[in-house]
Amino acid sequence: MGRRPSPPALQGHPAPVPTSRRPGGLPPAHTVLICVALPGLAISTEQGQLTGQGLEGFYRAGRRVLSRCQVRVAGREPTAIQARRAAADRARFVATLRVSPGTGPDPDVVVERIRHADGTERITLYSAAPRLLRLPVEVALGTDLADLGAIASGHAGPELSASVHGSGLRWSGLGGSASVAADPPPTDALASAGLLRWEFDLPPGGTARVELRVQVEGAGPVRAAGRAATSPLAPARAAGDHPGVRALLHTSVEDLQALLLRDPAHPADTHLAAGVPWRCGMAPAEALAASRMTLPLGTRLAAGTLRTLARTQLSGPAAQWGMIPGPRRDAGPHLPPSCTGTEATLLFPVLLAEARRWGLSQQETEELLPAAERCLAWLRTTVGDGTYLGDTHPGDPVRCETQAHAHRAALLGADLLDTCGRPGGEELRQWARQLRTAFREEFWIEDRGGGRPAAARAPDGCLVPHLGSTAVHLLDTGLLGGGDQAPGLLDRVQTEQLARLLGSPALNSGWGLRGLGAKEPGYNPFGHRSGAVRVHETAVAVAGLTAAGYEMEASSLLRGVLAAAETFGHRLPEMYGGEQRTEGSAPLPHPAACRPSATAAAAGVLLLTTLAGIRPDAPAGTVTLRPVRSAPLGELGLTGLRIAGAPFSVRVSRLGLAMVEEAAEGLQLGA
């Protein structure tokens, strides 16, 4: 498989988790508080002080521009009492101090720090003392200008020497130059110690404030794509009987906004970074999957993502012509790594076809159609005279989920070609029929429990029998016109059996779907492909089970993820421990999980919109509603969604009945 260079929007971003690590592994990410407004990050512990340890610091485009920011008041560090994320891009830290003698145990100075991902920090002192306080304040600063990849592998290097610069300090090294400016200017600046000093007089009830701004030489201020007035994501809202729905959708949309990146060469096109802190650049398959799950928030993100990836499409050699390149990804203990480029290439025409149903304009559809046609041509060329789509590496197995992606791409691609007056649709449908027939006979393992889909077929034809969450993609068949779901690879009996397996304790941990069944060889509750709960695949399972009519199994997984979301402050990580849920327990964080994650944040959107069963067909001017009849979360209202470029709001009653409350003019409710 070819390797593509990073496009301009991604230059300077860290690569995925490095393979060469120190013996202790990656610095843990589950205990830190992360503020995101890409390309800016601020990573802190709950103590609030930046000590330069682990991941702590301010980052710009994957480089740590400030690693240490320690505040002392009256010669002492304040006592940390609270840390919380105020929004996706900022956090608030509160600490206290007792400076007046003979006043008992009560603190009389409060120190508040508001830290922003854009590199600013506001430090405010509040006095509750009954007399005038003269408080010396000092801030110790330092940086190593290390790349995040070096930090992750334990090779960050020492702090650099500082010099006095304007109203603050400046550092220079191989990684460039960075400075901190202070307002008001400090009374004293000591470069050798990296110290800025002030002395404030605080009357009873008085305040004093210092603002620090981290600057990178040669770069302007952080201009986060998600904060622009032209953000591609609609600010949708949720309300209802379940107390978690409002916070889940709000946080999901906020995190998606924070993860947006813009290509400087094509500033109209935005796409999602894969996740923070380890994957601050685009991962093609994840970007497409997240864009697809967020289509209820509008089609502009999908269009920007498709245009960005169309520019990376390979033009040669012949075997790779039309492919969207992507890195290989670990597939767990039973299979070799898989090619995410295959998944991305198959997702491209699916996203375009479904974005058109949600309201992507005819002009944008036609502009992107040639790239989708090349993806479909790659599919047919790669399959050739065979039935199954294999991996790009000779000798690799034929994977179950790859067949599901390919089958969906063929059917939705054929529908797209037909509606746009392009040839090739019938050939794709004919191959999809052949694949369905063969798959139902050759990819199913019969056993005393009712059978299961094979995870893969080895080159010698032997089936790989382990059961994992990748099987959920068999239920994700895709949306056709008129609100109809495309047919799937499984027959009715096989679909029912898969639904039963997905709802069983072996896969359903009570917090979501395990990546590998708990009874399978190689199961590890923290294995990112061998037992941890992956939020994206759990959301796909909920949507697929609901569409297939298995609401009980879908509702159980849905309630588990919502319970997990509450323990994570409604900012779902990409994965967490797969240990079985028990009374009074909580899901175990995965120390290396990205949080926020594009697919996990987008999964929050998919989970809630699935309850309303929204199936639009904007070209036909209709929308069909297939709400979950059991209404597992009670009454639910979704406002500020987008269909055909206009606001769309829907309410689902406690009886499972859906009502459109706002829609584009002329949009009719389908049967």
Side-chain angles (χ1 to χ4, degrees):
M1 184 188 62
R3 183 183 300 273
R4 70 179 171 92
S6 297
L10 308 185
Q11 289 176 358
H13 285 287
V17 176
T19 56
S20 176
R21 306 172 189 164
R22 59 186 180 185
L26 295 170
H30 69 289
T31 57
V32 296
L33 197 158
I34 302 179
C35 304
V36 191
L38 291 180
L41 292 177
I43 304 179
S44 326
T45 69
E46 292 191 349
Q47 298 302 307
Q49 300 276 41
L50 297 180
T51 66
Q53 301 298 309
L55 293 168
E56 294 177 45
F58 284 97
Y59 292 80
R60 176 77 69 89
R63 185 169 298 280
R64 183 158 64 182
V65 293
L66 187 69
S67 58
R68 193 161 53 85
C69 182
Q70 296 170 284
V71 176
R72 288 188 287 269
V73 179
R76 291 179 287 149
E77 287 197 10
T79 301
I81 61 172
Q82 187 186 75
R84 68 178 183 88
R85 185 170 53 87
D89 66 338
R90 63 187 181 275
R92 178 177 184 259
F93 304 90
V94 178
T96 61
L97 201 69
R98 185 165 61 90
V99 298
S100 299
T103 58
D106 298 336
D108 51 8
V109 173
V110 175
V111 181
E112 178 193 65
R113 302 171 71 169
I114 306 294
R115 183 168 294 150
H116 290 255
D118 66 2
T120 59
E121 178 158 337
R122 189 176 68 240
I123 304 165
T124 306
L125 281 66
Y126 302 88
S127 172
R131 61 179 180 85
L132 176 72
L133 296 178
R134 175 158 290 180
L135 295 178
V137 175
E138 63 181 26
V139 179
L141 302 169
T143 189
D144 48 20
L145 292 178
D147 183 87
L148 182 56
I151 297 168
S153 59
H155 301 106
E159 280 193 359
L160 302 171
S161 298
S163 60
V164 176
H165 178 74
S167 60
L169 299 174
R170 180 178 183 270
W171 301 264
S172 293
L174 295 177
S177 298
S179 63
V180 172
D183 183 22
T187 306
D188 195 12
L190 300 177
S192 60
L195 281 178
L196 303 180
R197 291 174 171 170
W198 297 260
E199 193 166 274
F200 295 108
D201 289 334
L202 269 68
T207 64
R209 179 172 295 168
V210 171
E211 182 169 297
L212 305 175
R213 181 171 293 276
V214 184
Q215 299 169 318
V216 178
E217 193 169 286
V222 172
R223 302 185 186 278
R227 291 294 172 191
T230 57
S231 171
L233 298 170
R237 298 173 299 280
D241 292 339
H242 192 286
V245 297
R246 183 197 65 80
L248 178 61
L249 187 58
H250 173 79
T251 304
S252 294
V253 174
E254 194 176 62
D255 282 345
L256 289 165
Q257 300 273 23
L259 290 170
L260 286 171
L261 291 171
R262 192 185 304 279
D263 185 344
H266 302 273
D269 294 341
T270 53
H271 57 271
L272 289 166
V276 170
W278 309 118
R279 307 173 72 201
C280 295
M282 176 193 272
E286 283 88 341
L288 289 164
S291 297
R292 186 175 172 228
M293 289 188 283
T294 58
L295 283 172
L297 305 180
T299 61
R300 289 176 54 207
L301 175 61
T305 303
L306 290 167
R307 282 193 292 264
T308 300
L309 287 175
R311 291 190 286 269
T312 74
Q313 199 167 29
L314 298 178
S315 56
Q320 298 176 357
W321 183 88
M323 191 178 191
I324 305 292
R328 288 175 71 79
R329 176 173 60 202
D330 180 66
H334 301 286
L335 293 170
S338 61
C339 176
T340 61
T342 298
E343 184 178 342
T345 307
L346 298 172
L347 273 171
F348 190 103
V350 168
L351 178 58
L352 180 58
E354 291 190 331
R356 181 176 177 273
R357 297 295 174 192
W358 281 90
L360 186 69
S361 71
Q362 184 66 25
Q363 178 182 345
E364 288 180 298
T365 302
E366 290 179 353
E367 289 173 355
L368 289 162
L369 189 58
E373 288 180 300
R374 290 191 289 272
C375 290
L376 296 170
W378 172 86
L379 168 61
R380 290 299 297 124
T381 300
T382 305
V383 171
D385 295 330
T387 302
Y388 298 114
L389 178 64
D391 270 13
T392 55
H393 284 239
D396 276 359
V398 175
R399 302 171 197 267
C400 170
E401 69 271 21
T402 301
Q403 310 320 304
H405 295 318
H407 183 259
R408 182 180 60 224
L411 291 180
L412 270 64
D415 184 61
L416 179 67
L417 295 176
D418 288 351
T419 55
C420 293
R422 301 292 185 97
E426 185 52 40
E427 182 184 2
L428 287 166
R429 271 188 288 267
Q430 181 180 351
W431 173 75
R433 286 192 292 268
Q434 295 172 357
L435 177 61
R436 275 200 303 276
T437 300
F439 189 93
R440 292 172 182 180
E441 295 178 357
E442 299 175 359
F443 250 88
W444 191 261
I445 301 172
E446 296 291 351
D447 58 33
R448 289 180 295 179
R452 62 172 65 184
R457 286 176 61 90
D460 62 3
C462 292
L463 298 180
V464 180
H466 76 269
L467 181 65
S469 62
T470 54
V472 303
H473 296 289
L474 293 169
L475 301 177
D476 180 13
T477 62
L479 181 65
L480 296 174
D484 292 332
Q485 294 288 122
L489 282 174
L490 301 180
D491 62 27
R492 184 183 60 80
V493 174
Q494 291 170 336
T495 300
E496 182 176 357
Q497 173 63 5
L498 178 57
R500 188 186 69 80
L501 293 171
L502 295 174
S504 70
L507 281 176
N508 183 356
S509 71
W511 302 112
L513 201 64
R514 294 185 179 93
L516 183 66
K519 298 180 181 180
E520 300 295 322
Y523 167 73
N524 172 5
F526 284 102
H528 70 288
R529 295 283 171 184
S530 57
V533 172
R534 300 192 65 82
V535 174
H536 170 208
E537 287 174 345
T538 302
V540 171
V542 171
L545 287 165
T546 298
Y550 298 97
E551 294 188 2
M552 182 178 68
E553 293 82 0
S555 298
S556 176
L557 290 170
L558 170 67
R559 285 190 290 263
V561 174
L562 260 65
E566 186 175 355
T567 71
F568 288 112
H570 301 285
R571 174 182 265 185
L572 282 164
E574 63 175 325
M575 59 183 169
Y576 44 87
E579 282 198 346
Q580 191 65 36
R581 181 180 181 181
T582 58
E583 186 175 354
S585 68
L588 297 173
H590 193 294
C594 285
R595 179 169 173 260
S597 153
T599 54
V605 178
L606 177 62
L607 286 168
L608 296 181
T609 54
T610 290
L611 293 172
I614 306 167
R615 300 183 185 180
D617 189 349
T622 64
V623 59
T624 304
L625 300 179
R626 294 282 188 271
V628 179
R629 293 168 295 178
S630 58
L633 304 184
E635 184 172 322
L636 173 68
L638 299 171
T639 59
L641 304 176
R642 291 287 186 275
I643 296 180
F648 182 83
S649 301
V650 62
R651 183 167 300 277
V652 181
S653 73
R654 297 182 183 93
L655 299 177
L657 302 175
M659 176 183 298
V660 175
E661 296 187 333
E662 183 181 24
E665 185 176 354
L667 190 67
Q668 300 295 315
L669 191 62

